[in-house]
Amino acid sequence: MRAPRLSHKKMASHETDRGPNQSPNESMNQGADKPFVVDPNVRIGHVHLKVADLDRALKFYSGILGLQITQRLGEGAVFLSAGGYHHHIALNTWESLGGSLPPRGTTGLYHTAIVYPTRAALAEAFRRVLVAEIPLEGAADHGVSESIYLRDPEGNGVELYWDRPKEQWPRTPDGRTISDVHSPPGLARSVQRSAARRPPKPRPARPVALAISLVQAQVRGPLLRQTPGSPGPV
């Protein structure tokens, strides 16, 4: 949905969160020696994409991937989800109707990753992609997951994947998860064989339990790391 605009008065009200004798910098630096850790239940809820052609985008996200339309906002926006959630993906043409793709070398969305509950569910999605003759951009085994990469009709990167059970994730000796990146030649064929167990005939998409697991962005310059006393690019 459209983001509400904050008035200067509302923005200024946040200044009252600091103590009466604290400067803004002192308030921000309070607890700088202890990095903030987000609540472990926080998750990516949905992705809202600007598209040039709403019907074309719907044929991909609903017609091929099987996301169900939950709401329409006039002629310019549609919300879609799996499993009855209000929306996992939103599409709109408010500022992009008939627009062109951003040129290479610009920042923005790299890809949206959709995680499926099982390898079989991923295989069904992959089968539908093959039937629709959508070109693949690659496949990868990350150790923790198996992924298929492609693009939607608007040129946005899309990753379809499933997570291996946590007890199978590769880990360091101290228990930290290792997410590797390699592309074994047989991975896509292996998933394709799972998909080929069913006849490759177009049929109405079935909604499955899934979620938007991550959004990967393209950024300009080095990533930032907050370190006590010396914040800055590294």
Side-chain angles (χ1 to χ4, degrees):
M1 295 184 180
R2 293 179 184 269
R5 294 183 179 275
L6 286 177
S7 68
H8 293 295
K9 186 177 296 184
K10 288 184 178 179
M11 293 174 66
S13 68
H14 292 295
E15 296 181 1
T16 60
D17 293 339
R18 64 176 186 267
N21 298 319
Q22 283 183 311
S23 69
N25 288 338
E26 288 173 336
S27 178
M28 291 177 64
N29 291 332
Q30 192 175 47
D33 57 337
K34 186 178 181 181
F36 171 72
V37 177
V38 73
D39 187 298
N41 293 314
V42 169
R43 57 191 171 81
I44 303 297
H46 70 270
V47 177
H48 201 143
L49 299 172
K50 295 191 292 185
V51 300
D53 187 320
L54 202 56
D55 289 337
R56 182 176 63 188
L58 276 174
K59 287 178 182 177
F60 175 77
Y61 286 103
S62 182
I64 296 173
L65 296 187
L67 294 171
Q68 294 180 301
I69 296 174
T70 59
Q71 185 179 1
R72 288 181 179 267
L73 298 179
E75 298 293 325
V78 178
F79 290 177
L80 306 101
S81 82
Y85 191 61
H86 50 79
H87 67 298
H88 287 111
I89 288 184
L91 310 168
N92 85 70
T93 57
W94 293 327
E95 302 172 355
S96 54
L97 182 62
S100 57
L101 298 179
R104 287 186 175 274
T106 57
T107 59
L109 181 72
Y110 187 71
H111 68 228
T112 300
I114 301 176
V115 58
Y116 290 80
T118 63
R119 198 174 198 258
L122 171 62
E124 171 67 5
F126 186 29
R127 185 192 69 79
R128 296 185 64 82
V129 166
L130 293 176
V131 169
E133 299 182 341
I134 296 175
L136 299 182
E137 294 204 335
D141 186 337
H142 298 286
V144 298
S145 61
E146 291 179 314
S147 304
I148 304 294
Y149 297 92
L150 57 146
R151 289 192 178 274
D152 72 6
E154 303 293 321
N156 297 306
V158 177
E159 175 185 357
L160 308 178
Y161 78 100
W162 82 289
D163 274 328
R164 289 190 171 92
K166 284 188 176 181
E167 59 270 18
Q168 297 179 17
W169 290 3
R171 298 182 185 275
T172 61
D174 60 358
R176 289 180 297 173
T177 302
I178 302 173
S179 182
D180 198 2
V181 181
H182 61 284
S183 301
L187 176 59
R189 288 194 298 271
S190 175
V191 178
Q192 185 175 357
R193 282 196 297 271
S194 298
R197 291 172 186 168
R198 299 180 180 182
K201 297 178 181 179
R203 62 178 185 268
R206 296 180 303 165
V208 297
L210 53 80
I212 301 299
S213 66
L214 65 88
V215 180
Q216 188 169 353
Q218 299 178 118
V219 298
R220 183 179 62 184
L223 297 178
L224 298 180
R225 182 178 64 195
Q226 188 79 17
T227 56
S230 59
V234 294

